[in-house]
Amino acid sequence: MSHLDLQSWVELAGRALQGLGAALIAPSALTLLMTLFGSRPQELGKAFALYGAAAPAGGTAGVFLGGVITQYASWPWVFYINIPVALLVLAATPAVMPSGAGRRGSIDLTGAVTVTAGLAAAVYAIVRAPETGWGSAETWLVLLAGVALIAAFVAIQSKRREPLMRLGIWRAPNLAGANIAQLLMAAAWIPMWFFLNLYLQQVLGLDAFASGSALLPMTVAIMIMMIVLAPRLISRFGPKPLIVLGLFALGAGMFWLSLARPDGNFWVDVLPASLLSAVGMSLAFIPSLGTALSSARPEEGGLASGIVNTSYQVGSALGLAAMTALAAAHGAREPEDPVALTNGFSAAFLGAAALAVVGALAALLILRTAPAAESAGSGDQPEKAAA
């Protein structure tokens, strides 16, 4: 095995461990929010707002600081810097984390392995399709294997006494619709970040530091919208109108980004469209997340948290894989040609816009209209929400 092969395997193993850590942390954090604030809808709305704002803030901080570190140190330090941060968090956790009661039960390892392998195979098939061809036997065999594994997971869950995912949870009103909204929102939003950064660097010629800085206005807009405006709008209008409007606005922002020019500039081609996308994301994220969590029974809050996080992460992976294939098919394979790159990135933005619009239409047709309190938002009717 060559050094390059070994390095690739080490990087893949590291990313797998990161994914494992995220799979443990994110549902636990949401479950903790529901446990601490579930009986106080107004406080829960604030907690969701802060949780929702923390993700883009952390993501932008990572992109921004990654640009600084890459430019003034070297790219491996992008990974090294996380080690002391993780150690500090671990040291602080016992002092700030409330204790919780555990529950004994079996772990559905067969179900976990089956669904993980199925989703990984589906993503791998889509990622590899531009190289192997969409009509190749390899692409379709791997994709069919992924579908078969997911079908096997569903069969396993229907027969186990303590399944990883109780299938009956999907009968809860609005759970499916909220998760579809989260999946398609992520499938549009994550590719936008990826290709916008590439456009800034490869077409507009910004360095890593400047391209990271260019994303700051969008992050500030998201944080203000999620913390200040979104909870009030949920309280007044309820979750469904905001989810639908937010996804439509996200799609409009993506479409605007698809009009970016090879000889464009940040102020005309990036800033206004990215701010519109940020507004759409801010409007849709908190109500769809709250609806997904509040749709389940209280004792299944952890399961609902795991499902909605999986929906978002799967949407992110599939959306990025599909949009990468779309960009490559429309010219993004030519790194020295700004016109070809812009054409490829524009195709990816258009594809992401289409996903956001599909998510808006799905939310419009599937979600039931519900008052804000039922979406775990910041409603003014705590008695009704508690009931």
Side-chain angles (χ1 to χ4, degrees):
M1 179 180 294
S2 68
H3 175 71
L4 180 61
D5 290 335
L6 178 61
Q7 180 179 346
S8 299
W9 280 108
V10 169
E11 291 175 353
L12 288 172
R15 291 295 289 169
L17 287 174
Q18 283 183 305
L20 177 62
L24 294 173
I25 293 170
S28 301
L30 283 174
T31 303
L32 187 60
L33 289 183
M34 293 293 291
T35 302
L36 293 175
F37 303 105
S39 61
R40 294 171 286 167
Q42 191 167 1
E43 296 299 316
L44 182 60
K46 296 177 183 177
F48 276 145
L50 292 172
Y51 177 90
T60 303
V63 174
F64 177 75
L65 294 175
V68 174
I69 293 169
T70 300
Q71 187 163 339
Y72 296 106
S74 60
W75 70 264
W77 279 98
V78 172
F79 301 102
Y80 299 152
I81 195 65
N82 291 294
I83 298 173
V85 173
L87 292 176
L88 287 173
V89 172
L90 285 174
T93 295
V96 300
M97 188 69 68
S99 59
R103 183 179 72 87
R104 291 185 175 273
S106 62
I107 299 176
D108 183 10
L109 290 177
T110 304
V113 171
T114 305
V115 70
T116 302
L119 293 173
V123 173
Y124 180 80
I126 295 174
V127 171
R128 287 282 297 162
E131 298 292 334
T132 60
W134 284 99
S136 69
E138 177 184 335
T139 298
W140 285 101
L141 286 174
V142 176
L143 190 59
L144 289 174
V147 173
L149 286 167
I150 294 172
F153 167 75
V154 173
I156 292 169
Q157 300 310 288
S158 66
K159 296 179 180 179
R160 285 188 63 92
R161 180 189 298 181
E162 294 189 29
L164 184 69
M165 181 181 70
R166 186 181 69 85
L167 298 180
I169 194 174
W170 291 103
R171 290 194 292 268
N174 285 340
L175 182 72
N179 275 276
I180 290 172
Q182 281 272 319
L183 186 147
L184 291 172
M185 181 196 317
W189 176 253
I190 298 303
M192 187 274 291
W193 273 77
F194 180 77
F195 287 106
L196 183 56
N197 207 11
L198 290 181
Y199 175 75
L200 291 168
Q201 294 189 40
Q202 297 183 0
V203 177
L204 299 189
L206 301 184
D207 57 31
F209 176 82
S211 64
S213 302
L215 300 177
L216 291 177
M218 183 166 53
T219 302
V220 172
I222 292 174
M223 295 181 68
I224 293 174
M225 286 288 298
M226 284 192 178
I227 295 174
V228 179
L229 294 179
R232 298 179 182 179
L233 293 173
I234 295 171
S235 177
R236 181 169 182 178
F237 300 105
K240 179 177 177 177
L242 294 184
I243 296 171
V244 174
L245 178 62
L247 286 169
F248 273 127
L250 179 59
M254 300 290 182
F255 176 77
W256 197 344
L257 283 171
S258 73
L259 303 178
R261 302 161 297 167
D263 57 347
N265 64 77
F266 169 76
W267 301 104
V268 174
D269 296 86
V270 174
L271 182 61
S274 66
L275 290 178
L276 178 58
S277 300
V279 169
M281 175 67 171
S282 304
L283 290 176
F285 183 82
I286 299 298
S288 60
L289 177 65
T291 300
L293 294 177
S294 62
S295 296
R297 300 193 302 236
E299 64 270 21
E300 291 187 318
L303 175 58
S305 300
I307 291 173
V308 73
N309 273 283
T310 300
S311 296
Y312 191 89
Q313 295 300 327
V314 170
S316 302
L318 291 177
L320 183 56
M323 295 309 106
T324 299
L326 190 62
H330 287 79
R333 294 176 180 272
E334 304 295 334
E336 305 300 326
D337 186 351
V339 175
L341 285 173
T342 304
N343 289 338
F345 300 157
S346 294
F349 290 135
L350 277 176
L355 292 176
V357 171
V358 170
L361 294 174
L364 181 64
L365 297 173
I366 298 174
L367 289 177
R368 301 180 186 177
T369 302
E374 293 182 17
S375 70
S378 56
D380 298 324
Q381 309 173 52
E383 296 83 7
K384 184 175 182 179

